[in-house]
Structures are given as C-alpha cells and as structure tokens.
Amino acid sequence: MNMLTALWAESLKVRRSRIIWISLMAATLLPILFGLVMAGLISSKPALEGQEANMQAYLNQLGVAVSVGGIIGFGFLYSWIFGREYSDRTVKDLLALPVPRFQVVLSKMFVAALWCAALAAWLFAVGCATGWLVSLDGWSGGVIADSLPRYAETTIMVICLSLPIGWIASAGRGYMAALGFVVLMVIAANLGGAIGIESYMPWAVPGLLNGAAGEDKMNLEAVSLALPYVTGAVGIAGTIAWWRYADQT
Amino acid sequence: MDAMIRTAGLTKRFGRSTAVDEVSLSVGPGEIYGFLGLNGAGKTTTIRMLLGMIKPSAGASYLFGEKVNAARRDLWSKVGCLVEMPSLYPELTVYENLEVVRRLRRLNGTHWIEEAMEKLRLTPYRNRKARHLSLGNGQRLGLAKAMLHKPAVLVLDEPTNGLDPAGIVEVRQLLSELAAREGVTIFISSHLLGEVAKLATRIGIVHQGRLVQESDARELHGHLRKRLLVQVQSQNTEAAQAVLHSRGYAPLLAAADEGGTLATEHADAVANPERIARLLVEADVPPKLLRVEEEDLEAYFLRTIGMDGGMAQ
C-alpha cells in the first residue's frame, strides 16, 4: 500500500511538471529530424556519408540516439526527480513521513524508469511513422521487428546507467552535481574509446552495441554487456544507502 | 509526567566545529517549548536530530520515550514538522500538496485536507499552484502539511517567517489552541524572544550550540532588568549624582548622549521613585523627569548570550 502510494505521489509530481512536455517534445522532434535528414529532405550530406539511406540505417541511428542522447536525457530526468527534492527543500518532509525511505527511493527510480521507457517507446514509434511518411527504402514491419529487441536492450541499459544519477543528485543535494556527472561520464566514455578500453566503460556499452564506434566493435563480451546492469544495481543500492544512512543536513 | 520530547547530551560535530553541544532538555505533554537562538546557534541542527534526519555525534533524542532513529517510521505518524522554509511542490496546487501528504500518511477521507485548509485559511487558494502563493500563504501551507494528521507533537522551525502581523497573531492563536484544547506538545524554534514569549510555556536559549538558559515563560519577566532614569538640569548632574551616591543608590551616567540623565538599578529606587524625587528636591536639584524602564525581551536575550550592548531603550 505504502509503495503504491509513494508511486502515485511520484507520478503526480512528474505529471504536473513542465519537464514531461519538454522531454516529450525532444523525443518527438529527434526522430523526425533524423528521418528528414535520412530522406535527404534536409541537406546534411556529411552526416550521411558512408551510410545507406534506408529504414534499417535509420533505426540504427535511432538506437545510437538513445544510447548517447539517452545517457544525457535520461540522466537529466533522474537528476530532476531526485535533485528537485533538495532544490525545493521537500526532502525534509519526505524524511519525516511514516514511509520507509527505501520505498521513496524505489518509487522515484521506478517512475523515472517508466518515464524513460515511455519516451524511448514514443521515439521509436515516431521514428517508424516518420520512416513511412518520408518513404524510406526498406520500410517494413519485418525490419522494425528485427530492430526492436536491440533498441529495447539499449533502452534498458541506458535506464540502468541512469540509476546512479539518483545517488549523485541526492549526495550533491540538487541537480548540478548530477548533471556534471552525466557530462563527465559521456566524456569518460569517449576518452575510453581513444585508449581502447571503451568496452569496459559502462557508459560506452550502449553506444558500442549500436555501432557508434563501428560495426567491428558491436560484438561485445558478456562482461561488457553486464556492466550497465551492474552499474544500475550499484546505483540503486547506493541511493537507498544514502537516504537511509547519510546525514540529511 | 513522561516527556514527549527529550534530549540527553545531544551533540553534533561537523569536522572540528561543534554545531550542538550536549543539549539536554525535556518537554512535557501540552507544553509549548520555545527554543531560542541566533541564526547558526544550532537550532535547526537540533531539530533535525530530533526528527532523525541527522545522526547525533553523541547523546540521543527521544520522542514519546522512544529513541529516535531513521528506521523508526512509526514515530513520524504522531509527529508533524516544519523545518526552516516551507517545503512545497511548486507545480502542485495547495490541495494536491496536502493530498500527497494525506495519502503518504495513510489518512482516510479528504476531510483531513478540508479541516487543515480551513484552520490555516487556505480554502480560497485550494486550486492555486504553490509556486503562485505569497510567502505568507506558502508558510501557511507548510503549517497545514505539518498539522494535517493532527499530530501529538509538532516541531516547528521559525513558523512565522514571512507572515504579516495578522498572520503571526493568527498562527500564535492557532498553536496556543492546539496546545490548550488538544494537548499537542509544541517545540518551536525562533530568534525572536518577544514573539516566542507570547506563546511558549517554557523557553530554552541556545547559543553556540549550548543550551545556556532554560526558564518558565511566566518567570521570564522576573529576569528582566529594571532601572530608574532620573533627568535633572545638566548643570546639576554632578550634584544629583553625589546626593544619590551618598544615599547608596549608586547612580551611573546612563549614556553619553543623555546629558543630565542618571540611571540606577537599585531595587528600592526602582520600586519607590517618589523617594528619589523627594531626595533630589530637598537637595535643591529637582528632577525634570523620573521614569522606570524595563529591559525588553530582545535585550534580555542578547544579555543572556553575552551579546548585550547595554539596556535597550
């Protein structure tokens, strides 16, 4: 009962926020823009160089968009959902309620995950519709169905990689530290690529899986594939421990 | 009578600095305890330890006789709090802010919200988003959230911040009624002794983390200094001083900018100013003015914490 109520409370805050519309707008415009570029309706030849302009390539691009843009976008949502409690000073009330703190943390993480998953699903759906509208070569239900499992896996990975953001936002008592962490991880993932250890950097794994570093690096070892999930588990445990044991000054 | 709130040697250190230093206090049922101190005196840190938000470095705090710790969730169903500024979700309406608290506190029925809004005069603003509330109404909403579940103990940190004078009186009456009629125990922090003295039954003064004085609010006026101000012609100042001094009234020049004004805290002089008047008339240095002046509460507070600059006028 408490958990359901905590979920209701978190979802109400999200539903009433402006950020839901901003994120929805981003998840709508991004695939449309990519689709128009892919179809050549917007001149962006350098971006398409070396790529085939068909539905399969377009869906791959959407996967890369979620794996790279999602780390920033989903990270921002997680930093907002946790950081706002500190910025608006509402955390004091949450701590003085007869609701276990782990339930508050889990409900926040669940609502944020649901939100991210819905955005990713919406982005994919808009992408499919855009591909059809701009008549991309190879548009078919089969191509879409084939792309879906990897796209879903990427989304789940990126959501897992966003879970530690809740911890950083709580420990940093606001958005800023969390947003800084997101940027740092994106930079670290790129630096990892430069020195050849990208497959062992959790934040680089979704991008690699979608061919962001080339097709030759798409086949990842099990250890690499497990890294985002391990990171997510550490994120959940760290956030709960922080809320449970740290001084809330 | 068992204490509803108790702290025993409560201490909090942040690195080398000690924010709260062995504070021991006890608040009985239905009492209103005024916890007074300057900004940074340790009031909020004490309150956060009382509410289990901060772990003490030493000592402990107890609510209803139970030791406070973050895991004791059952305690919070009987406690309401307002810590520092009111904490509101700006995108939610007044009603929704209260609805979130109602549901998380597992209170059945919306009458809890209606009653709280009625008490705090928030009914006209029920559909207004919290971001559009004035500072005073925001403070009222914070209080409504704290009182929604009719707690047995209310812990309030500067609850009248941002309220206009009418609002301050209203909140004061509301808290007095809660304590008197419903037996709610109230722990209220402030930096305004004058304000707290009108409400509290007992007052504790905290300074640099230490509880430097505790007194019954009714006895507070007994602690205030009184003095008799005697004004004479400025050319008679020395003569008048000599007369009073010879009778043991130990007069002092009150202040450099008060030429011809003498002041004494002698109890007999303060109680019987007519005697002083007669004495000065007989000595041919008649007073122009005699006035008994009482130290105000803020001056008393500053004197207690060692920051007095003389008796306030």
Side-chain angles (χ1 to χ4, degrees), chain B residues 8-13 18-23 49 55-60:
Chain B
L10 198 62
T11 301
K12 184 65 187 179
R13 286 182 284 271
T18 304
V20 176
D21 195 0
E22 293 190 12
V23 169
M49 283 192 281
K55 284 188 291 295
S57 305

Side-chain angles (χ1 to χ4, degrees), chain B:
Chain B
M1 200 175 349
D2 288 340
M4 301 291 271
I5 301 170
R6 188 166 72 84
T7 69
L10 198 62
T11 301
K12 184 65 187 179
R13 286 182 284 271
F14 295 107
R16 287 181 184 174
S17 102
T18 304
V20 176
D21 195 0
E22 293 190 12
V23 169
S24 296
L25 53 84
S26 172
V27 188
E31 271 196 309
I32 303 179
Y33 190 95
F35 195 52
L36 202 78
L38 300 175
N39 293 334
K43 303 187 298 290
T44 300
T45 305
T46 303
I47 283 177
R48 283 179 185 255
M49 283 192 281
L50 266 181
L51 296 171
M53 295 177 190
I54 297 179
K55 284 188 291 295
S57 305
S61 55
Y62 303 84
L63 289 168
F64 317 102
E66 305 277 349
K67 190 172 179 178
V68 170
N69 72 57
R72 291 296 311 269
R73 309 313 301 162
D74 51 320
L75 287 178
W76 311 130
S77 59
K78 296 180 278 183
V79 177
C81 67
L82 173 64
V83 184
E84 292 177 307
M85 297 297 283
S87 46
L88 313 170
Y89 293 108
E91 70 276 16
L92 303 187
T93 63
V94 167
Y95 187 91
E96 286 170 337
N97 265 284
L98 293 169
E99 176 70 353
V100 167
V101 178
R102 183 189 74 81
R103 290 206 190 193
L104 289 172
R105 287 197 173 278
R106 303 171 81 170
L107 306 171
N108 289 323
T110 54
H111 65 276
W112 297 89
I113 298 175
E114 303 297 342
E115 280 177 35
M117 286 197 302
E118 191 64 36
K119 263 185 190 167
L120 274 303
R121 299 186 184 220
L122 283 166
T123 309
Y125 309 103
R126 63 184 295 140
N127 294 321
R128 187 172 292 187
K129 289 194 173 179
R131 74 160 63 95
H132 299 308
L133 290 178
S134 66
L135 192 63
N137 282 332
Q139 193 75 1
R140 284 169 208 266
L141 180 53
L143 281 166
K145 286 170 75 177
M147 295 173 186
L148 184 75
H149 56 300
K150 299 184 177 168
V153 165
L154 258 179
V155 179
L156 306 171
D157 193 5
E158 312 265 4
T160 53
N161 266 358
L163 294 179
D164 56 28
I168 291 172
V169 172
E170 211 174 285
V171 168
R172 194 193 303 147
Q173 282 171 348
L174 176 68
L175 296 178
S176 297
E177 280 172 24
L178 281 174
R181 288 190 195 167
E182 296 171 35
V184 177
T185 304
I186 301 173
F187 187 91
I188 182 170
S189 88
S190 178
H191 59 273
L192 302 170
L193 178 55
E195 181 54 38
V196 167
K198 290 174 188 159
L199 178 67
T201 50
R202 215 142 52 82
I203 288 171
I205 295 178
V206 64
H207 184 56
Q208 293 178 342
R210 296 190 74 89
L211 189 64
V212 293
Q213 191 176 83
E214 257 192 317
S215 67
D216 193 301
R218 287 167 300 187
E219 294 165 5
L220 198 59
H221 281 271
H223 295 302
L224 301 180
R225 280 182 181 167
K226 290 189 180 85
R227 66 178 186 176
L228 177 69
L229 292 179
V230 182
Q231 199 175 18
V232 294
Q233 296 286 354
S234 55
Q235 68 269 24
N236 292 336
T237 307
E238 282 182 20
Q241 191 170 8
V243 169
L244 295 175
H245 193 73
S246 68
R247 298 299 179 101
Y249 288 115
L252 299 165
L253 272 174
D257 60 348
E258 292 181 83
T261 303
L262 303 169
T264 177
E265 290 183 12
H266 194 284
D268 183 51
V270 170
N272 303 290
E274 71 285 356
R275 279 191 202 156
I276 303 297
R278 198 178 312 126
L279 203 63
L280 293 173
V281 169
E282 286 168 2
D284 205 21
V285 281
K288 287 198 298 184
L289 180 77
L290 281 169
R291 181 161 55 104
V292 175
E293 187 183 75
E294 188 176 73
E295 181 181 39
D296 70 22
L297 289 166
E298 303 307 338
Y300 165 72
F301 166 51
L302 292 174
R303 177 163 62 83
T304 304
I305 62 171
M307 291 183 69
D308 58 325
M311 186 181 272
Q313 297 299 301

